Amino acid sequence: MDARGAGVPFFLHWGSDLGAASDAELARLADAIAPAVSPSSIDGQLRLSLVPLESEGWSGLPGFAGANDAGPLSPAFLLTGIEQTSGSSILVRLADETTGLELDASIGIDSHGVLECRSTVTNRAPAAFTLSRLAVTLPLPARARELLDFTGRWSHERRPQRRSLDHGSWSRQSRHGRTGHDSPFVLVAGTEGFGFRSGEAWALHVAFSGDQHLSADSHATGHALLSGGELLAPGEVRLDRGQSHRSPAVVAAWSADGLDGISARFHDRVRERHPLPVRKVIVNTWEAVYFEHAVDRLTSLAETAAAVGVERFVLDDGWMTGRTDDRRALGDWTVDPDRWPGGLHPLIDRVHALGMDFGLWVEPEMVSLDSDIARAHPDWLLRGRADRLPQPWRQQFALDLGNPDAFENILGQLTALLDEYPIAYLKWDQNRDLLGGSSLRQTRATYRLMDGLRERHPGLEIESCSSGGARVDLGVLERTDRIWVSDTNDPLERQSIQRWTGLLLPPEYLGSHLGAPTAHTTGRTSDMGLRLATAFFLSAGIEWDLGQADAADLAAIRTWIALYKDSRALLHSGRTVRADAADPAILVHGVVAPDAAIFAVVCLAAPRDAVPAPVLFPGLDPDTSYRVEVLDLGAGPRVMQDQPPPWTSSGGLVLSGRVLGAVGIAMPLLLPAQALVLRCVAV
């Protein structure tokens, strides 16, 4: 970053490590890449500053915008100081005396190469200031000519989409009041054709669970950039004299080794900042019983789950007073005395006696009109206009947690539950877009609610669920321990959803469940082998009425859980790798540790060729030899014929990591919707 002079500093380089450099060498670098003055432009060098503004000659998206009652303001910030806040973080202080605005830009890079930027704006003027835009802006080199981001919908999240970065702006805005099923998630620019294992890539993520924006811009001036931040509604942030607003963090990473290099940096950061206990095998009751809560049936499910090795029993929606369907009782967080005459104690006692801990589903941000809390306090419902409710969504509305009385009521109800019952885990759901009210205020209040409960109950684990995968971001992950990736348990859908969610988050933070043979969300029937392999790599669980499973199914599940427990230390600490498959019908992914690795080969559909090419195993140490063997998950894949490659019937083979990564080995001819899991052990 060039901070010479009185103007706003600007980045010189974001990418490969340039090594140690003296002040004189850095000055020569800055001078060497100083641009010429272009024709029909400002009479000076046009540089992309930390906060690009019209006052600097910039005609693209500004880094900062706002107004007072007299109209829009056009600040011209000057540098007032730079503080080194840690060994790898600085605070850049900017101010404009004319408008009375100050902006502090915090910039840090951690030991994993992840850049974190956030800004604080303060109003020192007598007149109130309304902030409309505060973005983090990072430059891109000319060779970054291709974009990747994501879209999706309920139960089909994180669908990748790619395009070239031509002159103009590619802007994505989320206006759901939550991150959204169609969230752009991570915006990546890269060299042409970049993949999981090749090409340079520059990635940006907004660590925030409310409305947000991400954009990539390329200008005829020769400037290209990524930018992102919270998306502010008109009048949402109004600062009186002396008041400040702090933006959420925007995190960014560069890689010379494709998307897997981006993942490596993000994963290392997440694991260091938020380490997790061992990921217990979960049974969740939702797709097992839905709203049909009967103590005997749930106790039977718990007993069967414990017999196959489950470690945590999570009681899902339907336990509250009057909650017999999805039209009532949200907001009344008391145990139904009719269906639970002894409260939850008899079930929890049995769960504990079976050696499992207990978790409970809640949806604290939401309320049903048919509830005691809504009848007593209709003014607590979140709305854009005082005289009108927003559109109903799944027969529910949002509770205005920015209202102190509503906040304290919900905090008190949940605290009472946690005080009375030994609850180790909350599955925290959020099943609608806001469609009214302040996304910023609601998101910050939700964060305070989560933080308050964890302060009162240290050790409490929280799973972030938002009608599945509509709240997947690093902001909510600062205060939760597991992300429910999607409401679909269809393994074919989940293969892609999990592959791309793993771009940002390590596998142990992502929940994946073994569902029933026929998926609730798609109606598709899948073999046990594919269902087991799909849930195996992440934070694994079961969401199936095990009373409907036969003896063979239960034996397979018991084998799968035992292998998972034996493998989770590797799966949840190793490096995630994904092969760039020549045939999109065949996915290869794995987790690599120094002395071992586990890979999955997944055949999604009919392969392009009658005999697919040998499978490559990326990420292994080229100078180490590995024994490759097929893992028995309890149910294997179906194949085209009974003459597999010879090595599979001889107990495995030994090859170097260099050979496995460059040449690969032949696979059995998997039928569509089948998966094979293999282990590589250093010898």
Side-chain angles (χ1 to χ4, degrees), residues 61-64 117-119 131-138 171-175 178-179 183-185 187 204-217 225-233 236-237 245-252 439-440 444 473:
L61 281 171
F64 176 93
C117 305
R118 64 196 315 162
S119 300
L131 180 68
S132 58
R133 180 176 172 85
L134 184 59
V136 167
T137 299
L138 294 169
S171 179
R172 296 292 310 280
Q173 296 184 350
S174 173
R175 298 176 180 271
R178 53 180 175 170
T179 324
S183 165
F185 188 48
L187 179 58
L204 202 68
H205 170 78
V206 180
F208 184 62
S209 306
D211 291 353
Q212 58 181 264
H213 65 88
L214 280 167
S215 65
D217 296 85
L225 59 110
L226 297 177
S227 65
E230 60 197 335
L231 182 65
L232 299 175
E236 193 169 25
V237 176
H245 173 77
R246 187 171 187 244
S247 76
V250 174
V251 295
S439 164
L440 174 64
R444 288 183 167 181
D473 59 78

Short mmCIF file of all heavy atoms in Angstrom, two decimals, residues 61-64 117-119 131-138 171-175 178-179 183-185 187 204-217 225-233 236-237 245-252 439-440 444 473:
data_model
loop_
_atom_site.label_atom_id
_atom_site.label_comp_id
_atom_site.label_asym_id
_atom_site.label_seq_id
_atom_site.Cartn_x
_atom_site.Cartn_y
_atom_site.Cartn_z
N LEU A 61 -18.22 2.88 -9.18
CA LEU A 61 -18.92 2.77 -7.91
C LEU A 61 -18.06 3.37 -6.79
O LEU A 61 -16.90 3.00 -6.64
CB LEU A 61 -19.21 1.30 -7.59
CG LEU A 61 -20.41 0.65 -8.29
CD1 LEU A 61 -20.42 -0.85 -8.01
CD2 LEU A 61 -21.71 1.28 -7.80
N PRO A 62 -18.62 4.29 -5.99
CA PRO A 62 -17.81 4.89 -4.93
C PRO A 62 -17.63 3.93 -3.75
O PRO A 62 -18.45 3.03 -3.53
CB PRO A 62 -18.63 6.11 -4.52
CG PRO A 62 -20.05 5.70 -4.80
CD PRO A 62 -19.98 4.84 -6.04
N GLY A 63 -16.59 4.16 -3.00
CA GLY A 63 -16.40 3.38 -1.78
C GLY A 63 -17.18 3.93 -0.60
O GLY A 63 -17.30 3.26 0.43
N PHE A 64 -17.73 5.13 -0.75
CA PHE A 64 -18.41 5.80 0.35
C PHE A 64 -19.41 6.77 -0.25
O PHE A 64 -19.13 7.45 -1.24
CB PHE A 64 -17.37 6.56 1.20
CG PHE A 64 -17.94 7.38 2.32
CD1 PHE A 64 -18.07 6.83 3.59
CD2 PHE A 64 -18.33 8.70 2.12
CE1 PHE A 64 -18.58 7.60 4.64
CE2 PHE A 64 -18.84 9.46 3.15
CZ PHE A 64 -18.97 8.90 4.42
N CYS A 117 -10.75 -6.51 6.07
CA CYS A 117 -10.91 -5.06 6.01
C CYS A 117 -12.27 -4.67 6.57
O CYS A 117 -13.27 -5.35 6.31
CB CYS A 117 -10.80 -4.55 4.58
SG CYS A 117 -9.30 -5.03 3.70
N ARG A 118 -12.32 -3.60 7.31
CA ARG A 118 -13.58 -3.03 7.77
C ARG A 118 -13.36 -1.56 8.07
O ARG A 118 -12.22 -1.12 8.30
CB ARG A 118 -14.14 -3.77 8.98
CG ARG A 118 -13.32 -3.70 10.24
CD ARG A 118 -13.74 -4.77 11.25
NE ARG A 118 -15.18 -4.88 11.41
CZ ARG A 118 -15.77 -5.95 11.94
NH1 ARG A 118 -15.06 -6.99 12.36
NH2 ARG A 118 -17.08 -5.99 12.09
N SER A 119 -14.43 -0.80 8.06
CA SER A 119 -14.32 0.65 8.20
C SER A 119 -15.27 1.16 9.27
O SER A 119 -16.33 0.57 9.51
CB SER A 119 -14.62 1.35 6.87
OG SER A 119 -13.71 0.94 5.87
N LEU A 131 -25.72 7.69 6.08
CA LEU A 131 -24.78 6.88 5.30
C LEU A 131 -25.56 5.99 4.34
O LEU A 131 -26.54 5.34 4.73
CB LEU A 131 -23.94 6.02 6.25
CG LEU A 131 -22.89 5.10 5.61
CD1 LEU A 131 -21.77 5.92 4.99
CD2 LEU A 131 -22.33 4.14 6.67
N SER A 132 -25.15 5.95 3.07
CA SER A 132 -25.82 5.08 2.11
C SER A 132 -24.93 4.00 1.54
O SER A 132 -25.42 2.99 1.03
CB SER A 132 -26.41 5.91 0.96
OG SER A 132 -25.40 6.66 0.31
N ARG A 133 -23.60 4.17 1.61
CA ARG A 133 -22.70 3.15 1.08
C ARG A 133 -21.37 3.23 1.79
O ARG A 133 -20.81 4.33 1.96
CB ARG A 133 -22.50 3.32 -0.43
CG ARG A 133 -21.56 2.28 -1.06
CD ARG A 133 -21.49 2.46 -2.57
NE ARG A 133 -20.46 1.63 -3.19
CZ ARG A 133 -20.63 0.37 -3.56
NH1 ARG A 133 -21.81 -0.22 -3.38
NH2 ARG A 133 -19.65 -0.31 -4.12
N LEU A 134 -20.86 2.09 2.21
CA LEU A 134 -19.54 1.98 2.81
C LEU A 134 -18.98 0.63 2.40
O LEU A 134 -19.38 -0.41 2.91
CB LEU A 134 -19.62 2.10 4.33
CG LEU A 134 -18.31 2.09 5.11
CD1 LEU A 134 -17.41 3.25 4.67
CD2 LEU A 134 -18.56 2.17 6.61
N ALA A 135 -18.08 0.63 1.42
CA ALA A 135 -17.63 -0.61 0.80
C ALA A 135 -16.12 -0.77 0.97
O ALA A 135 -15.37 0.21 1.05
CB ALA A 135 -17.98 -0.62 -0.69
N VAL A 136 -15.71 -2.03 1.02
CA VAL A 136 -14.29 -2.38 0.92
C VAL A 136 -13.99 -2.60 -0.56
O VAL A 136 -14.72 -3.31 -1.26
CB VAL A 136 -13.98 -3.64 1.73
CG1 VAL A 136 -12.59 -4.18 1.39
CG2 VAL A 136 -14.08 -3.34 3.22
N THR A 137 -12.93 -1.97 -1.05
CA THR A 137 -12.56 -2.05 -2.46
C THR A 137 -11.14 -2.58 -2.58
O THR A 137 -10.23 -2.08 -1.92
CB THR A 137 -12.65 -0.65 -3.12
OG1 THR A 137 -13.99 -0.18 -3.02
CG2 THR A 137 -12.25 -0.72 -4.57
N LEU A 138 -10.97 -3.59 -3.43
CA LEU A 138 -9.65 -4.19 -3.64
C LEU A 138 -9.38 -4.27 -5.14
O LEU A 138 -10.26 -4.62 -5.92
CB LEU A 138 -9.59 -5.60 -3.04
CG LEU A 138 -9.68 -5.67 -1.51
CD1 LEU A 138 -9.86 -7.11 -1.05
CD2 LEU A 138 -8.43 -5.07 -0.88
N SER A 171 -22.85 -6.82 -10.53
CA SER A 171 -23.24 -6.47 -9.17
C SER A 171 -24.27 -7.47 -8.65
O SER A 171 -25.27 -7.75 -9.33
CB SER A 171 -23.83 -5.06 -9.13
OG SER A 171 -24.24 -4.71 -7.83
N ARG A 172 -24.02 -7.99 -7.45
CA ARG A 172 -24.95 -8.89 -6.79
C ARG A 172 -25.38 -8.25 -5.47
O ARG A 172 -24.55 -7.82 -4.67
CB ARG A 172 -24.29 -10.24 -6.50
CG ARG A 172 -23.87 -11.02 -7.74
CD ARG A 172 -25.07 -11.52 -8.55
NE ARG A 172 -26.03 -12.22 -7.72
CZ ARG A 172 -25.90 -13.50 -7.32
NH1 ARG A 172 -24.83 -14.18 -7.66
NH2 ARG A 172 -26.82 -14.07 -6.56
N GLN A 173 -26.69 -8.20 -5.25
CA GLN A 173 -27.23 -7.62 -4.03
C GLN A 173 -28.19 -8.61 -3.39
O GLN A 173 -29.05 -9.17 -4.06
CB GLN A 173 -27.96 -6.31 -4.33
CG GLN A 173 -27.05 -5.22 -4.86
CD GLN A 173 -27.77 -3.91 -5.07
OE1 GLN A 173 -28.99 -3.83 -5.00
NE2 GLN A 173 -27.01 -2.85 -5.33
N SER A 174 -28.04 -8.80 -2.11
CA SER A 174 -28.95 -9.66 -1.34
C SER A 174 -29.85 -8.77 -0.50
O SER A 174 -29.37 -7.99 0.32
CB SER A 174 -28.14 -10.60 -0.44
OG SER A 174 -29.00 -11.32 0.42
N ARG A 175 -31.17 -8.91 -0.69
CA ARG A 175 -32.14 -8.06 0.00
C ARG A 175 -33.15 -8.91 0.77
O ARG A 175 -34.33 -8.59 0.82
CB ARG A 175 -32.88 -7.17 -1.02
CG ARG A 175 -31.97 -6.21 -1.77
CD ARG A 175 -32.74 -5.43 -2.83
NE ARG A 175 -31.87 -4.50 -3.55
CZ ARG A 175 -31.64 -3.25 -3.19
NH1 ARG A 175 -32.22 -2.77 -2.09
NH2 ARG A 175 -30.85 -2.47 -3.89
N ARG A 178 -31.47 -11.66 5.34
CA ARG A 178 -30.57 -12.75 5.70
C ARG A 178 -29.67 -12.99 4.49
O ARG A 178 -29.87 -12.38 3.43
CB ARG A 178 -31.34 -14.02 6.08
CG ARG A 178 -32.36 -14.48 5.03
CD ARG A 178 -33.08 -15.75 5.49
NE ARG A 178 -34.15 -16.15 4.57
CZ ARG A 178 -34.78 -17.31 4.64
NH1 ARG A 178 -34.46 -18.20 5.58
NH2 ARG A 178 -35.75 -17.62 3.79
N THR A 179 -28.70 -13.84 4.62
CA THR A 179 -27.74 -14.03 3.53
C THR A 179 -28.44 -14.48 2.25
O THR A 179 -28.13 -14.00 1.17
CB THR A 179 -26.66 -15.05 3.94
OG1 THR A 179 -26.35 -14.91 5.32
CG2 THR A 179 -25.41 -14.84 3.14
N SER A 183 -27.60 -16.39 -2.35
CA SER A 183 -26.47 -15.54 -1.99
C SER A 183 -25.31 -15.70 -2.97
O SER A 183 -24.98 -16.81 -3.38
CB SER A 183 -25.98 -15.91 -0.58
OG SER A 183 -24.71 -15.36 -0.34
N PRO A 184 -24.65 -14.59 -3.34
CA PRO A 184 -23.43 -14.71 -4.14
C PRO A 184 -22.32 -15.44 -3.40
O PRO A 184 -21.40 -15.97 -4.02
CB PRO A 184 -23.05 -13.26 -4.44
CG PRO A 184 -23.75 -12.45 -3.41
CD PRO A 184 -25.02 -13.18 -3.09
N PHE A 185 -22.39 -15.44 -2.04
CA PHE A 185 -21.55 -16.27 -1.17
C PHE A 185 -20.09 -15.83 -1.20
O PHE A 185 -19.61 -15.19 -0.27
CB PHE A 185 -21.70 -17.74 -1.57
CG PHE A 185 -21.04 -18.73 -0.66
CD1 PHE A 185 -21.22 -18.66 0.71
CD2 PHE A 185 -20.27 -19.74 -1.17
CE1 PHE A 185 -20.64 -19.59 1.56
CE2 PHE A 185 -19.67 -20.68 -0.33
CZ PHE A 185 -19.86 -20.60 1.02
N LEU A 187 -17.34 -14.09 -4.10
CA LEU A 187 -17.11 -13.59 -5.45
C LEU A 187 -15.63 -13.79 -5.77
O LEU A 187 -14.76 -13.30 -5.04
CB LEU A 187 -17.49 -12.12 -5.54
CG LEU A 187 -17.28 -11.42 -6.89
CD1 LEU A 187 -18.05 -12.11 -8.01
CD2 LEU A 187 -17.67 -9.94 -6.81
N LEU A 204 -13.50 -12.71 -2.56
CA LEU A 204 -14.04 -11.75 -1.60
C LEU A 204 -15.31 -12.31 -0.99
O LEU A 204 -16.16 -12.87 -1.69
CB LEU A 204 -14.35 -10.44 -2.33
CG LEU A 204 -14.43 -9.15 -1.50
CD1 LEU A 204 -13.04 -8.79 -0.98
CD2 LEU A 204 -14.96 -8.00 -2.36
N HIS A 205 -15.46 -12.14 0.35
CA HIS A 205 -16.65 -12.60 1.08
C HIS A 205 -17.01 -11.56 2.12
O HIS A 205 -16.15 -11.03 2.83
CB HIS A 205 -16.37 -13.94 1.77
CG HIS A 205 -17.44 -14.37 2.73
ND1 HIS A 205 -18.63 -14.93 2.33
CD2 HIS A 205 -17.51 -14.31 4.09
CE1 HIS A 205 -19.38 -15.20 3.38
NE2 HIS A 205 -18.73 -14.83 4.46
N VAL A 206 -18.31 -11.25 2.22
CA VAL A 206 -18.81 -10.32 3.23
C VAL A 206 -19.25 -11.13 4.44
O VAL A 206 -20.18 -11.95 4.35
CB VAL A 206 -19.99 -9.49 2.69
CG1 VAL A 206 -20.49 -8.52 3.77
CG2 VAL A 206 -19.58 -8.71 1.44
N ALA A 207 -18.58 -10.93 5.57
CA ALA A 207 -18.83 -11.71 6.78
C ALA A 207 -20.00 -11.10 7.55
O ALA A 207 -19.83 -10.55 8.64
CB ALA A 207 -17.58 -11.79 7.64
N PHE A 208 -21.19 -11.24 6.99
CA PHE A 208 -22.37 -10.57 7.54
C PHE A 208 -23.61 -11.34 7.10
O PHE A 208 -23.67 -11.84 5.99
CB PHE A 208 -22.44 -9.13 7.05
CG PHE A 208 -23.56 -8.31 7.62
CD1 PHE A 208 -23.64 -8.07 8.98
CD2 PHE A 208 -24.53 -7.76 6.79
CE1 PHE A 208 -24.66 -7.30 9.51
CE2 PHE A 208 -25.56 -6.99 7.31
CZ PHE A 208 -25.62 -6.76 8.68
N SER A 209 -24.62 -11.40 8.00
CA SER A 209 -25.79 -12.23 7.74
C SER A 209 -27.01 -11.45 7.28
O SER A 209 -28.09 -12.03 7.13
CB SER A 209 -26.16 -13.01 9.02
OG SER A 209 -25.07 -13.74 9.51
N GLY A 210 -26.86 -10.16 7.04
CA GLY A 210 -27.99 -9.36 6.58
C GLY A 210 -27.83 -8.96 5.12
O GLY A 210 -27.06 -9.58 4.36
N ASP A 211 -28.55 -7.92 4.72
CA ASP A 211 -28.46 -7.45 3.34
C ASP A 211 -27.02 -7.05 3.02
O ASP A 211 -26.34 -6.41 3.83
CB ASP A 211 -29.39 -6.26 3.13
CG ASP A 211 -30.86 -6.64 3.18
OD1 ASP A 211 -31.16 -7.85 3.24
OD2 ASP A 211 -31.71 -5.72 3.18
N GLN A 212 -26.58 -7.40 1.81
CA GLN A 212 -25.18 -7.14 1.46
C GLN A 212 -25.04 -7.01 -0.06
O GLN A 212 -25.95 -7.35 -0.82
CB GLN A 212 -24.28 -8.27 1.97
CG GLN A 212 -24.66 -9.64 1.46
CD GLN A 212 -23.74 -10.72 2.01
OE1 GLN A 212 -22.77 -11.11 1.36
NE2 GLN A 212 -24.05 -11.20 3.21
N HIS A 213 -23.88 -6.52 -0.47
CA HIS A 213 -23.60 -6.39 -1.90
C HIS A 213 -22.18 -6.84 -2.17
O HIS A 213 -21.27 -6.71 -1.35
CB HIS A 213 -23.78 -4.93 -2.36
CG HIS A 213 -22.80 -3.97 -1.75
ND1 HIS A 213 -21.56 -3.70 -2.27
CD2 HIS A 213 -22.88 -3.21 -0.61
CE1 HIS A 213 -20.92 -2.83 -1.52
NE2 HIS A 213 -21.70 -2.51 -0.50
N LEU A 214 -22.00 -7.43 -3.35
CA LEU A 214 -20.69 -7.78 -3.88
C LEU A 214 -20.67 -7.37 -5.35
O LEU A 214 -21.67 -7.55 -6.06
CB LEU A 214 -20.42 -9.28 -3.78
CG LEU A 214 -19.99 -9.85 -2.43
CD1 LEU A 214 -20.09 -11.37 -2.43
CD2 LEU A 214 -18.55 -9.42 -2.12
N SER A 215 -19.55 -6.84 -5.81
CA SER A 215 -19.49 -6.47 -7.22
C SER A 215 -18.07 -6.60 -7.74
O SER A 215 -17.09 -6.52 -6.99
CB SER A 215 -20.01 -5.04 -7.44
OG SER A 215 -19.17 -4.10 -6.80
N ALA A 216 -18.00 -6.82 -9.04
CA ALA A 216 -16.74 -6.81 -9.78
C ALA A 216 -16.89 -5.79 -10.90
O ALA A 216 -17.90 -5.78 -11.60
CB ALA A 216 -16.42 -8.19 -10.34
N ASP A 217 -15.90 -4.94 -11.05
CA ASP A 217 -15.98 -3.86 -12.03
C ASP A 217 -14.70 -3.81 -12.86
O ASP A 217 -13.59 -4.00 -12.34
CB ASP A 217 -16.16 -2.52 -11.32
CG ASP A 217 -17.47 -2.44 -10.56
OD1 ASP A 217 -17.51 -2.90 -9.40
OD2 ASP A 217 -18.44 -1.94 -11.13
N LEU A 225 -11.66 -4.07 -10.21
CA LEU A 225 -11.73 -4.16 -8.76
C LEU A 225 -12.84 -5.10 -8.32
O LEU A 225 -13.78 -5.38 -9.05
CB LEU A 225 -11.98 -2.77 -8.16
CG LEU A 225 -13.26 -2.06 -8.62
CD1 LEU A 225 -14.26 -2.00 -7.48
CD2 LEU A 225 -12.94 -0.66 -9.12
N LEU A 226 -12.69 -5.57 -7.09
CA LEU A 226 -13.75 -6.25 -6.36
C LEU A 226 -14.16 -5.35 -5.20
O LEU A 226 -13.30 -4.68 -4.59
CB LEU A 226 -13.27 -7.59 -5.79
CG LEU A 226 -12.85 -8.68 -6.76
CD1 LEU A 226 -12.35 -9.91 -6.00
CD2 LEU A 226 -13.99 -9.07 -7.69
N SER A 227 -15.44 -5.32 -4.87
CA SER A 227 -15.88 -4.55 -3.71
C SER A 227 -17.04 -5.25 -3.04
O SER A 227 -17.75 -6.06 -3.66
CB SER A 227 -16.29 -3.12 -4.11
OG SER A 227 -17.42 -3.12 -4.95
N GLY A 228 -17.22 -4.97 -1.77
CA GLY A 228 -18.31 -5.59 -1.03
C GLY A 228 -18.55 -4.91 0.30
O GLY A 228 -17.70 -4.18 0.81
N GLY A 229 -19.73 -5.16 0.85
CA GLY A 229 -20.09 -4.62 2.15
C GLY A 229 -21.56 -4.85 2.43
O GLY A 229 -22.27 -5.53 1.68
N GLU A 230 -22.03 -4.28 3.53
CA GLU A 230 -23.45 -4.36 3.84
C GLU A 230 -24.23 -3.48 2.88
O GLU A 230 -23.74 -2.45 2.42
CB GLU A 230 -23.68 -3.93 5.29
CG GLU A 230 -23.23 -2.50 5.57
CD GLU A 230 -23.07 -2.21 7.04
OE1 GLU A 230 -23.71 -2.88 7.84
OE2 GLU A 230 -22.29 -1.30 7.38
N LEU A 231 -25.46 -3.88 2.59
CA LEU A 231 -26.33 -3.11 1.72
C LEU A 231 -27.29 -2.33 2.61
O LEU A 231 -28.14 -2.91 3.28
CB LEU A 231 -27.11 -4.05 0.78
CG LEU A 231 -28.05 -3.40 -0.22
CD1 LEU A 231 -27.26 -2.55 -1.22
CD2 LEU A 231 -28.86 -4.46 -0.95
N LEU A 232 -27.13 -1.01 2.60
CA LEU A 232 -27.89 -0.16 3.51
C LEU A 232 -29.14 0.38 2.82
O LEU A 232 -29.08 0.87 1.69
CB LEU A 232 -27.02 1.01 4.00
CG LEU A 232 -25.77 0.60 4.78
CD1 LEU A 232 -24.92 1.83 5.10
CD2 LEU A 232 -26.13 -0.14 6.05
N ALA A 233 -30.27 0.30 3.52
CA ALA A 233 -31.51 0.88 3.02
C ALA A 233 -31.50 2.39 3.25
O ALA A 233 -30.79 2.89 4.14
CB ALA A 233 -32.70 0.24 3.74
N GLU A 236 -31.28 4.08 6.81
CA GLU A 236 -31.07 3.03 7.82
C GLU A 236 -29.98 3.40 8.81
O GLU A 236 -30.05 3.05 9.99
CB GLU A 236 -30.74 1.71 7.12
CG GLU A 236 -30.80 0.48 8.02
CD GLU A 236 -30.74 -0.81 7.23
OE1 GLU A 236 -30.20 -0.82 6.11
OE2 GLU A 236 -31.23 -1.82 7.75
N VAL A 237 -28.95 4.10 8.35
CA VAL A 237 -27.87 4.53 9.24
C VAL A 237 -27.80 6.05 9.21
O VAL A 237 -27.35 6.66 8.24
CB VAL A 237 -26.51 3.92 8.81
CG1 VAL A 237 -25.39 4.48 9.69
CG2 VAL A 237 -26.55 2.41 8.90
N HIS A 245 -20.54 4.55 12.88
CA HIS A 245 -21.05 3.29 12.34
C HIS A 245 -19.87 2.45 11.90
O HIS A 245 -19.00 2.92 11.15
CB HIS A 245 -21.99 3.52 11.15
CG HIS A 245 -22.40 2.24 10.47
ND1 HIS A 245 -23.35 1.40 10.99
CD2 HIS A 245 -21.97 1.67 9.32
CE1 HIS A 245 -23.50 0.36 10.19
NE2 HIS A 245 -22.67 0.50 9.17
N ARG A 246 -19.84 1.19 12.36
CA ARG A 246 -18.76 0.26 12.01
C ARG A 246 -19.29 -0.80 11.05
O ARG A 246 -20.31 -1.44 11.32
CB ARG A 246 -18.20 -0.40 13.27
CG ARG A 246 -16.96 -1.25 13.04
CD ARG A 246 -16.38 -1.67 14.38
NE ARG A 246 -15.10 -2.35 14.26
CZ ARG A 246 -14.87 -3.60 14.60
NH1 ARG A 246 -15.87 -4.34 15.12
NH2 ARG A 246 -13.69 -4.14 14.47
N SER A 247 -18.63 -0.99 9.96
CA SER A 247 -19.07 -1.95 8.96
C SER A 247 -18.73 -3.37 9.39
O SER A 247 -17.86 -3.59 10.23
CB SER A 247 -18.38 -1.65 7.63
OG SER A 247 -17.03 -2.10 7.66
N PRO A 248 -19.39 -4.37 8.82
CA PRO A 248 -18.94 -5.74 9.03
C PRO A 248 -17.62 -5.98 8.31
O PRO A 248 -17.20 -5.18 7.46
CB PRO A 248 -20.07 -6.58 8.40
CG PRO A 248 -20.67 -5.68 7.38
CD PRO A 248 -20.56 -4.29 7.93
N ALA A 249 -16.97 -7.06 8.67
CA ALA A 249 -15.70 -7.40 8.03
C ALA A 249 -15.94 -7.93 6.63
O ALA A 249 -16.93 -8.62 6.35
CB ALA A 249 -14.96 -8.44 8.86
N VAL A 250 -15.04 -7.58 5.75
CA VAL A 250 -14.95 -8.20 4.42
C VAL A 250 -13.62 -8.93 4.38
O VAL A 250 -12.57 -8.35 4.70
CB VAL A 250 -15.04 -7.14 3.31
CG1 VAL A 250 -14.81 -7.78 1.94
CG2 VAL A 250 -16.39 -6.44 3.34
N VAL A 251 -13.66 -10.21 4.03
CA VAL A 251 -12.43 -11.01 4.01
C VAL A 251 -12.11 -11.39 2.57
O VAL A 251 -13.01 -11.56 1.74
CB VAL A 251 -12.54 -12.27 4.89
CG1 VAL A 251 -12.69 -11.89 6.35
CG2 VAL A 251 -13.70 -13.16 4.46
N ALA A 252 -10.82 -11.50 2.31
CA ALA A 252 -10.37 -11.74 0.94
C ALA A 252 -9.15 -12.64 0.97
O ALA A 252 -8.37 -12.64 1.93
CB ALA A 252 -10.04 -10.42 0.25
N SER A 439 -32.90 -4.61 8.11
CA SER A 439 -32.07 -5.81 8.10
C SER A 439 -30.87 -5.65 9.02
O SER A 439 -30.49 -6.58 9.75
CB SER A 439 -31.61 -6.11 6.68
OG SER A 439 -30.54 -7.04 6.65
N LEU A 440 -30.26 -4.47 8.98
CA LEU A 440 -29.08 -4.22 9.80
C LEU A 440 -29.41 -4.35 11.28
O LEU A 440 -28.71 -5.04 12.04
CB LEU A 440 -28.53 -2.83 9.49
CG LEU A 440 -27.38 -2.34 10.36
CD1 LEU A 440 -26.15 -3.21 10.16
CD2 LEU A 440 -27.06 -0.87 10.03
N ARG A 444 -27.99 -7.46 13.73
CA ARG A 444 -27.16 -7.17 14.90
C ARG A 444 -27.84 -7.64 16.19
O ARG A 444 -27.17 -8.14 17.10
CB ARG A 444 -26.87 -5.66 14.97
CG ARG A 444 -25.89 -5.20 13.91
CD ARG A 444 -25.58 -3.71 14.05
NE ARG A 444 -24.43 -3.31 13.26
CZ ARG A 444 -23.94 -2.07 13.24
NH1 ARG A 444 -24.52 -1.13 13.97
NH2 ARG A 444 -22.89 -1.78 12.49
N ASP A 473 -22.44 -17.79 6.32
CA ASP A 473 -21.47 -16.71 6.18
C ASP A 473 -20.58 -16.69 7.42
O ASP A 473 -20.90 -17.29 8.45
CB ASP A 473 -22.17 -15.36 6.00
CG ASP A 473 -23.09 -15.01 7.16
OD1 ASP A 473 -22.57 -14.58 8.20
OD2 ASP A 473 -24.32 -15.20 7.04
#
